[in-house]
Amino acid sequence: MERVPNNTLSLDIQTRSFTKVVFDTIKIGIIKSNLIAMFAGLCMALYVEQLSIFDQIGPIVLALIGSSLVIGSAGVFNNLYDRDIDAVMERTRKRPTVTGQVGTKSGLMIGFSTAVLGTIVLYLASPLAALFGYLGLFLYVVPYTMWTKRRTIYNTEVGSLSGAMPPLIGWAAISNDITHPAALAIFLMMLIWQMPHFYAIAIRRMEEYRAANIPMLPVVKGIRRTYVQMNAYLVALLLSSLLFWSLHPVIALTNAALSVWWIVLSVSGYRRKPENKWANSMFGFSLLHITVLMLGIIGYSLIAPLL
């Protein structure tokens, strides 16, 4: 077996280490999950406008690249601003902005450069896509990260506005008709879905949020209040199914069935499970719900025109 030179191994390790630092700084996991939502909105617009995916390769590639950059810049700014509380919480204390691997100056350079470049790329896809990209970035950094995250239990609601922008970015890259019921459906679904999803995370990490003095709903109002509010949002998620009817009844019924299942899991699980295990099951099902629905939307939107 040929021996690999030590300097080659060292370079490979340094490259992987640098890549990990960059990915942790821009929150690569959040980028990936948001890109799925963006692509679902894009595919819906292709279906509604009766356009071929092959004829729209340019806007699609621009939307993917631009969204990745804008979402990544939001992650960078969030990491920089939250360094003090990230240092307290177990799941965030190893972020590069906390450990010092990424300093303020270099972080700001990465954040601003990716924000500007991402907005320009989205503008090339469509000016409306760039507008939604900018709104998502602004809402996440200013109203959520800087204003409400440390001040009010409604920080999750404010943050969800930013989280609901990716499907609108995808839609706007293809279509200018943002008043279409399908566009409204996926926006509202994403807006509402985030509430039980992040409430479940808040319960699972409640002691960490308490230590960091972040006023998450279960920390301030208790788990019982969170349970009631979570169920109210799950009912709203069920009602949002009506708007998906304009896309296709199967998509509407899929969201409805998943929402009913989630409600049953919430009510029955809360009664018979310890609170932490109940929260774990709610978190797990939230991922199942969004994965099945988004893949269903993408699959139907792309396959239905071929049938």
Side-chain angles (χ1 to χ4, degrees):
M1 181 181 294
E2 184 179 355
R3 185 176 179 182
V4 180
N6 287 335
N7 59 341
T8 302
L9 286 173
S10 177
L11 179 62
D12 181 58
I13 293 172
Q14 290 176 10
T15 301
R16 282 184 291 172
S17 177
F18 174 77
T19 302
K20 185 179 185 307
V21 169
V22 172
F23 282 177
D24 287 347
T25 302
I26 64 176
K27 298 186 178 181
I28 191 66
I30 292 179
I31 292 176
K32 291 177 180 178
S33 60
N34 277 279
L35 283 182
I36 295 174
M38 187 281 296
F39 194 64
L42 187 150
C43 290
M44 286 174 62
L46 288 173
Y47 174 77
V48 169
E49 298 291 343
Q50 298 182 342
L51 297 171
S52 169
I53 188 173
F54 301 106
D55 295 334
Q56 300 295 316
I57 293 297
I60 291 171
V61 172
L62 290 171
L64 287 169
I65 296 174
S67 297
S68 299
L69 291 169
V70 170
I71 295 166
S73 70
V76 174
F77 288 129
N78 176 264
N79 280 345
L80 286 173
Y81 193 82
D82 282 349
R83 283 172 297 179
D84 56 334
I85 57 178
D86 283 347
V88 177
M89 301 180 67
E90 181 65 30
R91 70 183 180 89
T92 57
R93 61 176 50 175
K94 293 183 179 180
R95 285 177 175 170
T97 45
V98 176
T99 61
Q101 291 172 290
V102 175
T104 302
K105 184 177 180 179
S106 57
L108 288 173
M109 288 177 62
I110 295 171
F112 280 113
S113 60
T114 51
V116 172
L117 182 59
T119 304
I120 292 173
V121 173
L122 284 178
Y123 186 87
L124 295 175
S126 87
L128 192 57
L131 174 61
F132 285 130
Y134 172 78
L135 281 176
L137 172 62
F138 174 79
L139 288 169
Y140 188 74
V141 174
V142 181
Y144 171 64
T145 300
M146 300 178 67
W147 288 352
T148 62
K149 184 175 181 178
R150 307 184 191 211
R151 291 177 173 85
T152 172
I153 59 172
Y154 299 107
N155 54 19
T156 310
E157 280 82 352
V158 173
S160 68
L161 290 170
S162 174
M165 288 297 152
L168 291 185
I169 296 173
W171 179 280
I174 302 299
S175 173
N176 289 324
D177 183 13
I178 60 171
T179 62
H180 193 282
L184 182 59
I186 196 168
F187 170 74
L188 286 178
M189 186 279 298
M190 281 298 299
L191 189 71
I192 298 167
W193 172 85
Q194 292 174 85
M195 306 311 300
H197 172 73
F198 285 111
Y199 284 160
I201 294 176
I203 294 173
R204 296 170 74 220
R205 301 284 184 176
M206 190 163 63
E207 294 309 316
E208 291 184 43
Y209 283 117
R210 180 176 283 117
N213 200 29
I214 302 175
M216 301 301 290
L217 184 63
V219 173
V220 178
K221 298 293 184 180
I223 295 179
R224 174 67 184 179
R225 160 69 181 275
T226 307
Y227 163 74
V228 172
Q229 198 156 314
M230 185 182 290
N231 287 338
Y233 280 114
L234 290 178
V235 171
L237 187 64
L238 172 61
L239 294 176
S240 72
S241 303
L242 296 172
L243 290 169
F244 279 109
W245 202 268
S246 65
L247 181 67
H248 196 276
V250 171
I251 300 298
L253 291 174
T254 299
N255 186 61
L258 288 168
S259 300
V260 169
W261 188 358
W262 200 351
I263 292 170
V264 172
L265 183 68
S266 174
V267 175
S268 63
Y270 186 77
R271 292 175 178 174
R272 58 186 175 83
K273 290 182 179 180
E275 291 172 339
N276 195 57
K277 288 187 176 181
W278 167 74
N280 285 336
S281 67
M282 293 294 284
F283 172 74
F285 193 85
S286 71
L287 298 179
L288 175 66
H289 178 283
I290 201 67
T291 301
V292 171
L293 186 60
M294 289 299 179
L295 292 180
I297 290 172
I298 293 171
Y300 176 79
S301 299
L302 295 180
I303 295 173
L306 303 177
L307 301 178

